[in-house]
Amino acid sequence: MAASNLLSQAPKTLYTETLPRYLSVEFRNSSLTFKAKPISGPVRSLQARSPKAVLSPAEPKTQKFQHCFTKSEDGFLYCEGVKVEEIMEVVERRPFYLYSKPQITRNVEAYKEALEGLDSIIGYAIKANNNLKILEHLRSLGCGAVLVSGNELKLALRAGFDPTRCVFNGNGKILEDLVLAAQEGVFVNIDSEFDLENIVAASRIAGKKVNVLLRINPDVDPQVHAYVATGNKNSKFGIRNEKLRWFLDAVKAHPNELKLVGAHCHLGSTITKVDIFRDAAVLMVNYIDEIRSQGFEINYLNIGGGLGIDYYHTGTVLPTPRDLIDTVRELVLSRNLNLIIEPGRSLIANTCCFVNRVTGVKTNGTKNFVVIDGSMAELIRPSLYGAYQHIELVSPPSPNAEVSTFDVVGPVCESADFLGKDRELPTPDRGTGLVVHDAGAYCMSMASTYNLKMRPPEYWVEDDGSVSKIRHGETFEDHLRFFEGL
């Protein structure tokens, strides 16, 4: 096996059937070591080996955000110089998410470099991925947080985010969550008439004035899937721009509860044309001019998030954070505004692969299928949006493997259970590793326990090459705990 000679020191043993929850697996000086709980039962030892570190990218280097999972000349998939197949041999034998911590850092740094010269807040959209360890890392890099629920606010506070650099969005915020936001000093977006009423009530309960932004629907077409378009006239989000004066009067009527500090818009997600952001920013600064003319001291423009990534791995040149910021830079400076942005997908999506094993290959006479142990329960975007995510094997195929067109499907009892359709792949052997790329955003955070498939563990490759668990996988026993004492 590929992982049969990984350890440079005395071999440590692993239980190969039902692996325990390892605390971490560490690559130190290009060798693999473990910090594991005591185990018993059938064991097998792993010997030392130094994985190759020379990588050949799978696609041209055409943009700032490079894919951190790359194929080497030996045909194996690596993450930050660590062979994915070898990681599979030493973690729990089930589907899992594998992240690159250095890639998360690189993505944040790309935004920070783009924002140089501007007063700004990078508000990470927690809905994209709510792993606590990832949030703590993003906070340590200087990010704020964008929240869409009270629990996300509680998690942001637990992760150590400065609440005065957090923004609470949503079209249906409930009173108790707004009270917490008011108590903590979070920015709150006004999304509707009833939302304004609830924010006023929360302010009175908390005894604190709330810094609010008006979420204006600019009616700009983001040219994306209808499910992720949020800034057009058919969206449930934001206030109609023709009602701006009404909302300004309503805010003026509550000087003890509300302080209007900015304006906000969010166009959608997976946007690949930065001129769309500029179109919206032009509208928004005009609204800000109108708001200021009514006597308000507006200091913030929040242009939302939504920058797309190269899901297809074709090397397409897509807008970078600098392209996005440069599109709105002069408008922001011309009005002496602080800029808030809300990246989620573009910070975290390309940092992760969803790692699976092939259960088998079959045909129904019309279509060929690669059946894997992962499913729509862990990664629903293809089923929900018809989204494309790149799929490949983690190791070279057998010499006689025939390349065919497959649907990559899971074991869930739904015809909608697919992770990719019509993919050309070498016919994989049973047990072969297979990854779905760019799984860092809207995958684990949308995962379910449908068919009682327990949500999987998460790991990341650290800066020093070690591999650490950052979330335990859920178990059947975890499910039973919801019924204890009933």
Side-chain angles (χ1 to χ4, degrees):
M1 296 294 289
S4 62
N5 48 3
L6 288 173
L7 297 184
S8 59
Q9 300 175 359
K12 302 185 191 238
T13 55
L14 295 176
Y15 185 34
T16 58
E17 297 303 323
T18 306
L19 293 172
R21 295 174 173 180
Y22 292 101
L23 299 180
S24 68
V25 182
E26 298 185 351
F27 284 84
R28 302 289 184 187
N29 300 320
S30 297
S31 64
L32 190 64
T33 60
F34 304 95
K35 291 180 180 177
K37 296 179 180 180
I39 56 177
S40 60
V43 297
R44 139 186 184 202
S45 62
L46 304 180
Q47 304 297 322
R49 181 185 179 281
S50 297
K52 283 188 178 180
V54 179
L55 306 181
S56 176
E59 65 282 317
K61 292 190 175 182
T62 56
Q63 53 181 323
K64 179 69 177 179
F65 287 176
Q66 293 302 311
H67 297 286
C68 55
F69 290 83
T70 52
K71 277 288 181 73
S72 176
E73 294 176 355
D74 61 8
F76 288 92
L77 185 69
Y78 287 80
C79 177
E80 305 293 347
V82 181
K83 189 181 286 187
V84 174
E85 184 179 72
E86 293 178 342
I87 296 173
M88 293 177 67
E89 292 294 330
V90 296
V91 299
E92 297 177 56
R93 193 174 180 84
R94 59 190 291 187
F96 64 94
Y97 293 95
L98 178 65
Y99 299 81
S100 161
K101 185 178 182 181
Q103 185 65 45
I104 297 172
T105 302
R106 290 192 289 266
N107 289 351
V108 173
E109 291 300 321
Y111 270 103
K112 291 169 74 171
E113 291 170 8
L115 288 162
E116 288 177 357
L118 296 176
D119 292 324
S120 62
I121 296 175
I122 301 172
Y124 168 68
I126 289 180
K127 65 191 174 89
N129 187 306
N130 56 31
N131 182 289
L132 179 60
K133 296 299 182 183
I134 291 173
L135 296 183
E136 289 173 343
H137 182 53
L138 290 168
R139 183 261 305 156
S140 75
L141 295 172
C143 290
V146 174
L147 326 157
V148 291
S149 73
N151 281 339
E152 286 191 353
L153 172 52
K154 292 173 185 176
L155 189 63
L157 296 173
R158 177 69 176 267
F161 283 95
D162 179 352
T164 65
R165 292 172 59 82
C166 294
V167 182
F168 191 10
N169 289 336
N171 68 305
K173 300 183 286 291
I174 63 174
L175 182 59
E176 64 182 276
D177 293 344
L178 287 168
V179 170
L180 177 61
Q183 291 170 339
E184 296 294 338
V186 171
F187 291 112
V188 180
N189 278 323
I190 298 175
D191 191 87
S192 65
E193 294 88 342
F194 71 78
D195 197 36
L196 185 147
E197 292 175 0
N198 281 336
I199 297 168
V200 169
S203 169
R204 291 171 177 168
I205 295 169
K208 289 188 177 181
K209 185 181 291 190
V210 181
N211 290 324
V212 295
L213 295 85
L214 287 175
R215 179 167 182 170
I216 300 173
N217 186 330
D219 194 17
V220 172
D221 181 8
Q223 302 175 34
V224 297
H225 192 288
Y227 288 4
V228 293
T230 58
N232 57 35
K233 64 182 179 182
N234 295 319
S235 171
K236 70 177 183 177
F237 298 102
I239 66 173
R240 304 200 315 271
N241 51 45
E242 60 266 28
K243 289 208 68 175
L244 178 60
R245 181 62 64 86
W246 184 94
F247 279 93
L248 295 180
D249 290 342
V251 172
K252 284 181 179 179
H254 297 95
N256 297 322
E257 293 85 10
L258 306 177
K259 181 179 180 181
L260 182 59
V261 298
H264 171 270
C265 71
H266 192 290
L267 305 178
S269 192
T270 69
I271 297 172
T272 58
K273 298 178 181 178
V274 292
D275 58 344
I276 294 171
F277 289 99
R278 178 172 177 80
D279 291 345
V282 168
L283 293 172
M284 294 301 295
V285 295
N286 288 334
Y287 293 136
I288 287 174
D289 289 342
E290 182 178 348
I291 295 169
R292 282 175 168 173
S293 73
Q294 299 300 312
F296 292 97
E297 295 182 8
I298 297 296
N299 298 315
Y300 293 92
L301 170 61
N302 185 334
I303 61 169
L307 194 63
I309 68 164
D310 181 19
Y311 275 113
Y312 285 86
H313 287 218
T314 59
T316 301
V317 179
L318 294 178
T320 66
R322 183 169 294 280
D323 295 329
L324 168 59
I325 302 305
D326 285 350
T327 300
V328 302
R329 180 182 301 276
E330 293 307 316
L331 287 168
V332 173
L333 290 172
S334 71
R335 302 310 197 275
N336 193 28
L337 292 164
N338 292 275
L339 180 65
I340 301 175
I341 58 172
E342 302 179 347
R345 184 189 317 274
S346 59
L347 279 182
I348 197 67
N350 74 343
T351 71
C352 174
C353 275
F354 180 45
V355 185
N356 309 266
R357 284 182 172 81
V358 173
T359 304
V361 177
K362 64 178 291 186
T363 181
N364 64 7
T366 303
K367 294 186 75 73
N368 301 318
F369 300 91
V370 173
V371 183
I372 60 174
D373 52 0
S375 71
M376 66 182 289
E378 298 91 357
L379 198 147
I380 199 173
R381 293 186 68 253
S383 300
L384 184 61
Y385 305 130
Y388 179 98
Q389 292 187 231
H390 190 59
I391 292 174
E392 66 180 326
L393 305 180
V394 305
S395 57
S398 300
N400 58 349
E402 180 181 351
V403 175
S404 297
T405 301
F406 295 96
D407 284 5
V408 179
V409 301
V412 162
C413 193
E414 291 277 351
S415 293
D417 180 25
F418 63 90
L419 291 94
K421 288 193 170 184
D422 299 321
R423 305 299 179 88
E424 284 197 2
L425 294 167
T427 303
D429 295 329
R430 183 179 301 179
T432 297
L434 177 147
V435 299
V436 182
H437 282 275
D438 304 309
Y442 304 104
C443 293
M444 182 58 164
S445 66
M446 299 177 76
S448 74
T449 57
Y450 188 44
N451 285 196
L452 275 187
K453 283 181 63 64
M454 299 293 103
R455 279 179 282 256
E458 295 177 288
Y459 303 84
W460 67 14
V461 177
E462 307 241 22
D463 295 333
D464 62 359
S466 64
V467 178
S468 298
K469 174 175 279 190
I470 57 173
R471 176 172 171 148
H472 292 302
E474 296 177 12
T475 67
F476 180 68
E477 287 70 28
D478 293 330
H479 179 72
L480 291 181
R481 289 191 186 100
F482 293 112
F483 309 97
E484 289 179 357
L486 298 181

